[in-house]
Amino acid sequence: MGTMEPNIIQFGSPTQVTLEVTNRCNIQCKYCLIGDFQKKSLSVLSYEEFKRLISDLSDLGVFTIDFSGGEPFLRSDLLNLLKYARTLNISVKVTTNGTILRHNIIDSLIDIVDVIQISIDGSAQNIHNTTRGGELERIIKSAELIGETGIKLQIGTVACQSNFGNIPKIIELAEILGASSFNLMDLQIAGWGMDIWSVQALRPKQWKDLIEFFLLNPQRKNKINLKIGYRFLHLLFDKKFLAHLFKNFKSIFPGCPCGRDRCTITSDGNVLPCDLARSLSVGNIKNTSFRQLWQCIKEKILLIRDSNTPLGCEGCEYLTICEGGCMAVSYNIFGRLDIADPRCPIAASMHLHYDQLRSAFEKRLKIPLRQYLNSFWGDISYGLESTS
């Protein structure tokens, strides 16, 4: 691990903050980030505490608040919180599973909410239920009602083995529903997802096939903005194809924005640089101002990450592109921020030589590190100079 000249990039305030207004949920996704916290009796922020927090965020110049959970519509005073944020000229987004939205609820959101993201993991009930749950017909009806209001609709899908073959159909469904964008997310090494990751995560070759299908299929009209949440695209394609990729996809960002221009605040007030790292809280807004906690992210987390070349990245030509991968994943596996994301095959190959790192990877993810390299990356010639 080498020391770098610190070049800490952090906005003076986040542009977007995710507010988890509740830890309760009416379904149990198999990869839920807060699954272990759903049934815990947390000291959830009161309505007045959330109002003060929203006011503080407004004073700092936060542009967007994403109200999430748990399932945010299980909170009885959610509408009042949304209205309050709107009075402060904050852009309001709500992320929901869509199962409990009804016509009267959706109508009440008109002129208050800018964007609603609904999660759909399959175009058919049996596929959707494999990892997520909830009555798909009801979710689709909610999406249709949102489309009628003029509120922007986004569809979010977690890509995994259970729905890989169905993803084109899910995108077609999103287009039929009139969604403005489709967010295809990678299964994360966090929460309950850690337990199923080695079995359910898409292999790099599958991501490569998906992206080539989206861009090269002559029947693909790209009626919808496709956002790809996979961190290692730079290892799958050559420079020419990558240029084509960045031109045609609205949002592809291999680096990490968390803690730099966004963060998460949990329902009980903990401030996290990223919602994937539940144990990386820098403090609680009940005791410390958000302004101070935002600065703490820079001093306690980004300083460590940006002052050192992550272990496994030494001499790597891609370091300026991927920045060592996801620091939350590194922390969830190794309990450290200064180690490269082990999903990267270059870093993982180096981690093989460290017994402690190899052991931590295998204990957490239930797959031998060498087997991971062979089964995930064995059929990929990765690198910017490789042919696609």
Side-chain angles (χ1 to χ4, degrees), residues 26-299:
N26 59 323
I27 62 175
Q28 290 194 323
C29 303
K30 292 185 179 179
Y31 43 69
C32 180
L33 297 179
I34 65 168
D36 290 339
F37 298 89
Q38 281 189 30
K39 296 182 180 180
K40 288 187 177 181
S41 180
L42 301 180
S43 181
V44 175
L45 298 181
S46 68
Y47 173 70
E48 291 300 326
E49 286 173 321
F50 265 120
K51 275 190 67 178
R52 286 195 295 272
L53 174 58
I54 292 169
S55 179
D56 289 345
L57 297 179
S58 175
D59 291 342
L60 272 175
V62 171
F63 181 73
T64 301
I65 295 179
D66 181 358
F67 291 83
S68 70
E71 170 48 49
F73 285 100
L74 289 176
R75 184 165 179 129
S76 60
D77 56 11
L78 175 66
L79 181 60
N80 289 333
L81 289 175
L82 301 178
K83 287 180 178 178
Y84 183 67
R86 171 58 70 199
T87 65
L88 299 177
N89 295 317
I90 293 174
S91 178
V92 176
K93 177 181 178 181
V94 182
T95 298
T96 172
N97 60 41
T99 59
I100 57 178
L101 292 179
R102 298 295 183 271
H103 204 295
N104 63 322
I105 296 176
I106 294 171
D107 282 348
S108 70
L109 303 177
I110 298 173
D111 298 326
I112 298 173
V113 175
D114 297 290
V115 179
I116 298 178
Q117 176 165 309
I118 287 183
S119 306
I120 296 178
D121 279 1
S123 65
Q125 184 71 61
N126 63 319
I127 301 173
H128 178 78
N129 275 358
T130 303
T131 53
R132 186 174 289 278
E135 186 181 339
L136 183 61
E137 184 177 348
R138 178 173 290 178
I139 296 168
I140 291 174
K141 181 61 178 177
S142 296
E144 290 172 341
L145 291 172
I146 292 168
E148 294 171 3
T149 66
I151 298 172
K152 283 187 178 180
L153 172 67
Q154 294 179 348
I155 300 298
T157 296
V158 175
C160 55
Q161 295 297 334
S162 299
N163 65 5
F164 170 67
N166 189 235
I167 289 172
K169 291 289 186 182
I170 303 174
I171 296 177
E172 288 179 14
L173 174 60
E175 291 172 342
I176 292 170
L177 293 172
S180 62
S181 64
F182 178 81
N183 301 331
L184 187 62
M185 300 166 283
D186 195 13
L187 178 64
Q188 295 296 336
I189 301 177
W192 287 348
M194 190 173 293
D195 296 329
I196 64 172
W197 183 83
S198 64
V199 174
Q200 280 287 351
L202 291 192
R203 277 41 179 171
K205 179 62 165 59
Q206 291 173 302
W207 277 108
K208 191 171 187 287
D209 291 344
L210 272 177
I211 291 165
E212 289 177 340
F213 171 80
F214 294 148
L215 286 181
L216 304 180
N217 189 336
Q219 296 180 339
R220 174 83 216 141
K221 296 181 180 179
N222 287 329
K223 302 174 185 176
I224 193 170
N225 289 320
L226 297 172
K227 300 183 179 181
I228 305 297
Y230 182 64
R231 300 191 66 92
F232 303 103
L233 297 175
H234 56 287
L235 299 180
L236 303 183
F237 302 103
D238 62 22
K239 290 179 180 178
K240 183 177 180 180
F241 193 90
L242 277 177
H244 182 50
L245 197 61
F246 278 76
K247 179 180 178 181
N248 284 274
F249 282 82
K250 183 177 180 181
S251 179
I252 294 179
F253 185 66
C256 181
C258 294
R260 303 188 189 280
D261 73 343
R262 63 191 61 193
C263 68
T264 294
I265 304 175
T266 66
S267 59
D268 56 346
N270 288 320
V271 175
L272 313 173
C274 175
D275 60 357
L276 301 182
R278 313 309 295 189
S279 57
L280 262 182
S281 171
V282 293
N284 194 289
I285 59 98
K286 294 177 182 177
N287 310 313
T288 311
S289 72
F290 178 77
R291 185 186 298 269
Q292 290 176 285
L293 294 173
W294 179 247
Q295 182 67 20
C296 282
I297 291 177
K298 178 177 181 179
E299 295 172 351

